[in-house]
């Protein structure tokens, strides 16, 4: 077993990494803020996915979150929210720092949100999302890029960002993960979807009792790890291709532009990209 932290990251570290019997366990590790995602966490995650891809001993990747919840989404208000820090860019978009007007957020989110999620969806090794508790907004983005979603019986799924006047999170897979009627409901009502419903609709592969979640995921990961890697890689490409032929990429690009029209509109109307719906306001509105 090897244990480590993200390459190129500074302390404190937001993601942990260990390899156990051919499976890389990559765990979001900010339980005190429900594993909300700041930009450093996302960069650490990308570094660790690369480490898992580069390690020939790793045959399967598990993505989970420490604590009660998988992830509460993008960081809206913790002290370590870090939008104004320089960040390692993963794609060839310019630095967002010092860009004027709507350009700053557009460039930042192309790289940090849409770009990273698309890149992770194309990781050639099998990936399992292990979800307990809340999987909210940006949390959905992380679960959706995985091949299988195995969830605890206390899991729930939610995208409440329409409350901010924004048409859903940046990686707009909602209507590919769910029937369009249900995607409308998820977005427009913004309520919590219990895991049983997500399973019934095919968005979750398995529900297991919380107490045995890690054991069950370990077992499935071992099974995936035993498959021929090249066959797995080609299968993942084949399914990604089906989704793209169904218009996923174009739909996401179109929504991404609407998403940024909404950020810019909010900025003009309220002076805030998210219409002043910070972490506290969202948490209050999201109960129920
Ligand atoms: Zn955004």
């Amino acid at each position: 077993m090897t244990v480590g932290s993200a390459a190129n990251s500074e302390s404190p570290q937001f993601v942990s990494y260990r390899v156990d019997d051919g499976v890389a366990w990559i765990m979001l590790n900010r339980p005190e803020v429900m594993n909300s995602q700041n930009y450093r966490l996302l960069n650490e995650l990308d570094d660790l996915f690369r480490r898992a891809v580069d390690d020939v001993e790793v045959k399967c990747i598990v993505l989970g979150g420490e604590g009660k919840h998988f992830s509460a989404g993008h960081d809206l208000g913790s002290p370590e929210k870090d939008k104004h820090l320089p960040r390692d860019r993963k794609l060839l978009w310019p630095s967002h720092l010092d860009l004027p007007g709507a350009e700053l957020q557009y460039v930042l989110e192309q790289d940090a949100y849409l770009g990273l999620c698309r890149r992770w969806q194309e990781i050639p090794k099998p990936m399992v999302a292990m979800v307990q508790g809340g999987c909210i907004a940006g949390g959905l983005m992380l679960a959706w890029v995985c091949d299988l979603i195995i969830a605890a019986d206390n899991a729930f799924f939610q995208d409440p960002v329409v409350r901010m006047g924004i048409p859903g999170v940046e990686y707009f897979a909602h209507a590919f993960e769910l029937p369009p009627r249900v995607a409308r409901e998820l977005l427009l009502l913004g309520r919590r979807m219990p895991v049983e419903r997500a399973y019934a609709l095919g968005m979750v592969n398995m529900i297991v009792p919380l107490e045995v979640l890690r054991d069950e995921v370990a077992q499935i990961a071992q099974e995936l790890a035993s498959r021929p890697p090249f066959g797995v890689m080609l299968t993942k490409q084949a399914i990604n291709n089906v989704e793209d032929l169904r218009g996923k990429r174009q739909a996401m690009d179109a929504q991404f532009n609407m998403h940024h029209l909404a950020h810019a509109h909010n900025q003009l109307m309220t002076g805030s990209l998210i219409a002043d719906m910070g972490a506290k306001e969202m948490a209050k509105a999201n109960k129920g």
Side-chain angles (χ1 to χ4, degrees), residues 183-259:
R184 288 171 197 265
E185 174 194 328
L186 185 78
L187 286 161
L188 294 173
L189 289 179
R191 290 181 186 167
R192 294 177 175 184
M193 177 184 285
V195 68
E196 295 81 9
R197 183 140 190 254
Y199 174 77
L201 293 164
M203 201 187 89
V204 161
N205 296 93
M206 250 169 258
I207 306 176
V208 299
L210 179 62
E211 316 80 76
V212 294
L213 179 64
R214 288 196 192 206
D215 294 343
E216 293 288 332
V217 167
Q219 208 176 326
I220 298 290
Q222 279 306 322
E223 209 172 316
L224 290 169
S226 72
R227 299 288 182 270
F230 190 44
V232 167
M233 180 188 303
L234 297 176
T235 304
K236 290 196 61 161
Q237 274 193 299
I239 300 285
N240 283 342
N241 194 33
V242 167
E243 290 192 298
D244 281 344
L245 289 169
R246 288 178 179 165
K248 187 175 178 183
R249 191 173 184 88
Q250 288 88 339
M252 279 192 182
D253 282 336
Q255 186 271 358
F256 188 81
N257 292 336
M258 297 172 206
H259 180 102

Side-chain angles (χ1 to χ4, degrees), residues 105 109 113 170 259-260 263:
Q105 198 67 16
E109 293 191 3
Y113 292 157
E170 294 82 2
H259 180 102
H260 281 274
H263 276 319

